[in-house]
Amino acid sequence: MGLGSESTVNPRREELLRALTRVQLHAVRLETALDPAHASFTGKAVWVGPTARAFAEELTGRRNRLRTLVQRIVEDLEAELRATPEKVDRASTAR
């Protein structure tokens, strides 16, 4: 920032903060979305046999993948937020 220039809150950073907050609220629900079905299939014998085992393994894999992807989204937003300056030149926000 040059001499005499004023800085202001970076609107991009504010937007990222709002997005991160919304994503984190939904992340909890997404991460646990498959938990009831997973608990049913892995907790007791509701369906048995090779097809049932294959289904339970796929369900477990999808549950783990969903959690991984949700965390990756949160981490990407957090990284973008860390890379975004808190303040910017007032002149650069007027464009």
Side-chain angles (χ1 to χ4, degrees), residues 39-90:
S40 291
F41 278 92
T42 59
K44 55 188 172 207
V46 292
W47 181 23
V48 295
T51 305
R53 280 192 297 279
F55 179 83
E57 288 173 10
E58 184 173 336
L59 180 60
T60 298
R62 288 178 184 257
R63 177 176 168 247
N64 292 339
R65 178 119 171 94
L66 180 60
R67 288 178 177 197
T68 299
L69 291 173
V70 167
Q71 283 305 309
R72 191 174 300 156
I73 291 167
V74 170
E75 289 167 4
D76 286 351
L77 275 170
E78 289 172 338
E80 184 69 24
L81 190 58
R82 283 191 301 275
T84 304
E86 288 185 37
K87 304 262 184 183
V88 292
D89 279 344
R90 187 175 297 270

Side-chain angles (χ1 to χ4, degrees), residues 25-40 59 62-67 70:
L25 289 173
H26 295 296
V28 173
R29 290 181 59 204
L30 283 171
E31 287 178 336
T32 60
L34 295 177
D35 286 357
H38 185 264
S40 291
L59 180 60
R62 288 178 184 257
R63 177 176 168 247
N64 292 339
R65 178 119 171 94
L66 180 60
R67 288 178 177 197
V70 167

